Amino acid sequence: MSSPSLATPAQAAPTAPAATPLPAPIVAPAEGESRPPLTKKQLAADHPTWCPGCGDFSVLALYFKLIEKRRLWHEKIVTISGIGCSSRFPYFVQAHGAHFIHGRALPFATGVSLTRPDLHVFVFSGDGDAFSIGGNHFTHTARKNVKLTFVVMDNEVYGLTKKQTSPTSRTGFRSKTDLWGAVDQPINPLKQALAAGGDVCGSQQPHQSRAPAADDGGGDGPRRLQLHPLPERMRRVLSRRL
Amino acid sequence: MLYDSDHVEPKPEWQRDYRHVGVPISGLTVEAIGGTARDKGKNVYALGLIAKLFDLNVEKLRSLIQERFAGKDASVAQNALNAFDAGYSYSLGHLLETFRFADSQVRGVRQVVMNGNEALAYGLLAAGVRFGAGYPITPWSDIMELLRRELPKYGGTFVQCEDEIAAVSMALGASYAGRVAVTGSSGPGLSLKVEALGWGVMAEIPLVIVDVQRGGPSTGMPTNVEQSDLNLACFGGHGDSPRVVLAPANVEDCFYMAIEAVNIARRYSVPVILLSDQAIATRIEAFDEPNLQKVCQELPLDLSPARAHKPYDLAAPEGVAAHRPPGTPIVDGIYPVVTGLEHDEFGHPTSSPKLHTQMAAKRRKKLQALAATLPRPSVYGCRSGQLLLIGWGSTAGPIREAVDRARAAGQTVAALHLRHLHPLPLGLEEIFDAFDHLRVVEMNDDGVYGYGQLAGLLRARYRNQKIRGINKADGLAFKVRDIVERIRHDVEEAMTKN
Ligand SMILES: Cc1ncc(C[n+]2csc(CCOP(=O)(O)OP(=O)(O)O)c2C)c(N)n1
Ligand code: SF4
Ligand SMILES: [Mg+2]
């Protein structure tokens, strides 16, 4: 989808009543200005509420590493999510963030990306959020090829609602909703993304990954759509916990 | 009433209400054009008659006719002109002396002609909206088609989404990013948008949602009119989710209310629903050309740095903290999260009973603050009397005419038209007190408890026993006669009871 020419940042006049006046005028950073990389300390917000050992921690660590390595500007990062354990992500990142409704983070992020091509738009999601309730949006966002990075933490189960079958649960998976084992075939998100036209799709175990797991989707280069199934590890964690 | 005397014979009872003047339109048209056209061209002949009757600009009409039939065989345009000229030169005899028409063009004000959907879409453009998202459905589709065509001319975008949920989500994303956006639909589509609408209320993100009402429920009657989405618009969704609901009264109002909706959404960081309906959407009206120099506004993106920012500042005046879109540097390094979870002042989740109570009050108080700024609607007819008709949306015209007729018949009847439905403007109690009876005229069902949707809302709000309804839910617009008969019936009934 072609980018609309909507972004005219910085020099705009204030639109809403200003809060308390600033003590001294703060000049917005000049275009092309190089800044020191953001540190983990600057980027960490609330301590994650995930269970100890949850695979989502490693995705958060990689996200911090990516921001640091790419020297992204603090105010230009947007962290967007739907609903689920994995979707708690924005609270753990010290940056502009939006915690939207279950399954609809992709269209929300599309609205952000289309109106503001100057931003680095990251979307974090779970397998239920991305492929079940949001399944239609997944296909259509890939088809529209929006400039954003989509990271799915696929634990093959509904984590937040405590272990129900998800669309990526394997056949035979025993859950609270499938006491005798899941009968439906799991979907293959990677195939779906490719079939729908996602430009760059990948699948990784986070513990295999040294390099940043996701690209920021900035610039004019290829758009990125990253998928992160975390199967074996997460299942072990879950069966222990639940 | 001019009629084609070749085809119809007016019944004597019709003659009571209107004077009928017969013109052999069919025969004279055939005569003017020649035998080959049969009865084609009667409409253009009638246009000629009307042009004579109302003293319209003949040259302009002739050039419009030529334009209309350009590209076809030259004889077609010539036939049309012949029919027009014949109609224009027909002798209407004494008719022209019997009626004197006031000069129509002396006001010197240019007028524009369009339907309600167009007026609403142009209003959004004038208001500075540059992003929209939607999914096709009758009768909303016209608005999205127009915006898809027009927005790129102003550097904007309108996205056709995979469904209504994606559309409202995308619009919320754009609004969050600092560009107040619009989404819209009709009946079924509004139902789908409701969960995300609740998020907009909770996260306090401005948004304009257009609902062009049609017959419901479910797929209902897609091409008929009804005013039955009011409850959904005001209260739809889970939890307490105060939002703003406006309803334009005519085509011109669609234009100005679209601008007002955008400004309220921005001023109070809240979703605003614009309730139009199928009748206004498709009705073509002429109105004074808006002063575009005055009404058009730019909505520049404000990314000026903030020293610190609390997106849900409980101490903010009227409960409204400025929305800071992503891209805004926050100097103290504490960045806002906007969220649908109940939250603290920074947008982080909380289950604190105290914070939930405070935040719910904050969201509600914004609407109360808005209510205090709304103009008190004026009463049409008389300030006090037997009966006040209360209306909203496209029924404004027939209600006014019904008032005129009832007053001509000696009844003290007045009308009040509500354009701000939620929150309601202040001071309606005093208006209501001045009348013996109150009747809410609306195109929806009597309801399980005997009241239509606005009547129910007003009864709950004012606890006023006098409020009752004049309802109609057959998918057709009110006729003046329908209302007049109900007035007569209700007033007489009231008289005999007293
Ligand atoms: C409309 C709606 N339906 C259902 C829910 C309940 N719900 C919350 S999270 C969730 C599933 C989450 O699973 P997944 O996306 O895989 O995330 P995980 O918790 O595993 O990271 C469900 C069903 C909801 N919040 N909203
Ligand atoms: S329930 Fe599962 S997905 Fe959720 S935090 Fe715990 S380990 Fe992680
Ligand atoms: Mg999951």
Side-chain angles (χ1 to χ4, degrees), chain A residues 6 12 46 91 94 99 116, chain B residues 155 177 179 199 301 335 339 348:
Chain A
L6 283 180
D46 295 358
Y91 302 114
Q94 192 54 267
H99 189 207
R116 295 287 305 283
Chain B
R179 299 280 182 191
W199 184 89
L301 191 59
Y335 278 83
T339 170
H348 287 254

Side-chain angles (χ1 to χ4, degrees), chain A residues 47-48 55 64 109-111 134 154-155 175 207 214-215 224 227-228:
Chain A
H47 183 75
F64 289 160
T110 301
D154 179 5
N155 54 6
S175 73
H207 60 273
D215 200 296
R224 314 265 155 153
L227 308 168
H228 288 262

Side-chain angles (χ1 to χ4, degrees), chain B residues 95-398:
Chain B
L95 209 55
L96 293 181
E97 286 92 65
T98 312
F99 300 102
R100 248 200 45 221
F101 294 99
D103 293 336
S104 57
Q105 284 140 359
V106 290
R107 276 205 316 133
V109 183
R110 281 171 58 93
Q111 292 223 306
V112 287
V113 179
M114 61 183 81
N115 67 30
N117 270 350
E118 290 167 326
L120 203 153
Y122 285 120
L124 292 167
L125 285 171
V129 171
R130 293 295 177 266
F131 188 88
Y135 185 80
I137 186 169
T138 304
W140 141 265
S141 299
D142 297 342
I143 297 182
M144 81 176 260
E145 285 158 17
L146 193 149
L147 289 175
R148 247 176 108 80
R149 189 186 73 219
E150 293 298 319
L151 268 171
K153 297 183 190 165
Y154 303 92
T157 314
F158 193 103
V159 182
Q160 178 174 337
C161 295
E162 57 270 30
D163 58 34
E164 285 87 350
I165 304 178
V168 63
S169 303
M170 211 175 278
L172 280 166
S175 275
Y176 163 66
R179 299 280 182 191
V180 175
V182 64
T183 184
S185 195
S186 294
L190 185 64
S191 296
L192 286 180
K193 289 180 196 291
V194 160
E195 188 199 0
L197 164 70
W199 184 89
V201 172
M202 185 66 145
E204 303 194 36
I205 299 296
L207 178 71
V208 175
I209 303 182
V210 177
D211 175 31
V212 187
Q213 298 169 95
R214 61 187 221 181
S218 190
T219 313
M221 301 207 286
T223 53
N224 287 70
V225 66
E226 214 167 84
Q227 296 177 306
S228 48
D229 293 349
L230 180 64
N231 283 343
L232 175 63
C234 294
F235 307 112
H238 54 285
D240 294 312
S241 55
R243 81 295 301 264
V244 178
V245 182
L246 311 176
N250 53 42
V251 172
E252 181 178 21
D253 210 19
C254 286
F255 180 83
Y256 292 103
M257 278 223 122
I259 302 175
E260 188 179 355
V262 172
N263 290 339
I264 291 175
R266 278 161 42 80
R267 169 74 184 77
Y268 295 93
S269 273
V270 72
V272 177
I273 298 179
L274 256 179
L275 272 185
S276 176
D277 64 46
Q278 191 268 354
I280 298 193
T282 54
R283 182 200 296 161
I284 295 173
E285 281 177 18
F287 58 92
D288 290 355
E289 185 180 11
N291 182 343
L292 294 181
Q293 231 96 45
K294 242 193 196 155
V295 297
C296 284
Q297 56 187 35
E298 298 277 331
L299 302 180
L301 191 59
D302 177 14
L303 298 177
S304 45
R307 185 181 38 178
H309 178 54
K310 287 183 191 167
Y312 305 107
D313 188 353
L314 285 166
E318 296 185 338
V320 190
H323 173 58
R324 301 257 182 212
T328 306
I330 311 285
V331 178
D332 72 0
I334 311 291
Y335 278 83
V337 180
V338 298
T339 170
L341 276 173
E342 190 55 284
H343 41 259
D344 63 16
E345 291 182 286
F346 291 96
H348 287 254
T350 179
S351 49
S352 146
K354 189 170 165 218
L355 270 170
H356 180 46
T357 310
Q358 287 175 325
M359 287 294 170
K362 173 184 187 293
R363 293 186 284 268
R364 175 227 309 145
K365 278 182 189 152
K366 294 196 295 189
L367 258 66
Q368 290 168 329
L370 166 65
T373 70
L374 298 176
R376 195 159 105 166
S378 57
V379 177
Y380 179 76
C382 44
R383 285 162 165 265
S384 63
Q386 294 165 298
L387 176 66
L388 178 70
L389 298 177
I390 303 161
W392 64 284
S394 65
T395 54

Side-chain angles (χ1 to χ4, degrees), chain A residues 127 155 157 159:
Chain A
D127 43 316
N155 54 6
V157 76

Side-chain angles (χ1 to χ4, degrees), chain A residues 10-242:
Chain A
Q11 67 280 71
T15 51
T20 44
L22 293 170
I26 295 154
V27 183
E31 205 57 47
E33 171 197 306
S34 151
R35 293 191 192 170
L38 291 168
T39 62
K40 188 181 164 221
K41 203 173 152 211
Q42 286 169 295
L43 287 169
D46 295 358
H47 183 75
T49 44
W50 293 315
C51 310
C54 175
D56 295 353
F57 280 102
S58 50
V59 181
L60 182 65
L62 287 169
Y63 186 42
F64 289 160
K65 226 195 254 179
L66 164 83
I67 294 172
E68 185 187 333
K69 212 170 159 187
R70 291 274 168 146
R71 296 189 171 221
L72 302 186
W73 295 4
H74 209 161
E75 70 272 19
K76 297 282 188 192
I77 308 159
V78 200
T79 314
I80 295 168
S81 69
I83 301 292
C85 287
S86 37
S87 292
R88 285 269 168 155
F89 224 84
Y91 302 114
F92 313 145
V93 183
Q94 192 54 267
H96 284 286
H99 189 207
F100 197 53
I101 55 176
H102 194 27
R104 324 290 176 191
L106 276 179
F108 183 91
T110 301
V112 177
S113 177
L114 289 181
T115 42
R116 295 287 305 283
D118 59 311
L119 298 172
H120 305 287
V121 180
F122 293 94
V123 186
F124 293 93
S125 185
D127 43 316
D129 195 63
F131 308 131
S132 191
I133 189 165
N136 198 25
H137 307 312
F138 177 62
T139 310
H140 283 275
T141 310
R143 176 171 83 92
K144 287 185 157 66
N145 216 356
V146 183
K147 195 184 90 172
L148 56 80
T149 301
F150 188 40
V151 182
V152 183
M153 286 161 265
D154 179 5
N155 54 6
E156 299 185 5
V157 76
Y158 285 2
L160 188 73
T161 46
K162 302 199 173 89
K163 203 182 177 183
Q164 294 87 8
T165 306
S166 101
T168 52
S169 298
R170 290 163 203 210
T171 315
F173 175 63
R174 285 167 192 251
S175 73
K176 283 193 192 163
T177 44
D178 277 305
L179 296 179
W180 298 279
V183 289
D184 300 337
Q185 287 180 53
I187 61 154
N188 184 328
L190 209 52
K191 275 193 195 161
Q192 263 192 9
L194 289 168
D199 257 6
V200 177
C201 312
S203 161
Q204 258 169 339
Q205 305 285 330
H207 60 273
Q208 298 169 339
S209 151
R210 293 250 151 79
D215 200 296
D216 64 296
D220 297 325
R223 285 80 182 254
R224 314 265 155 153
L225 189 78
Q226 297 264 340
L227 308 168
H228 288 262
L230 319 169
E232 297 307 327
R233 232 177 101 139
M234 279 307 303
R235 257 209 308 199
R236 274 207 305 280
V237 172
L238 278 167
S239 43
R240 242 200 345 257
R241 197 179 99 88
L242 301 173

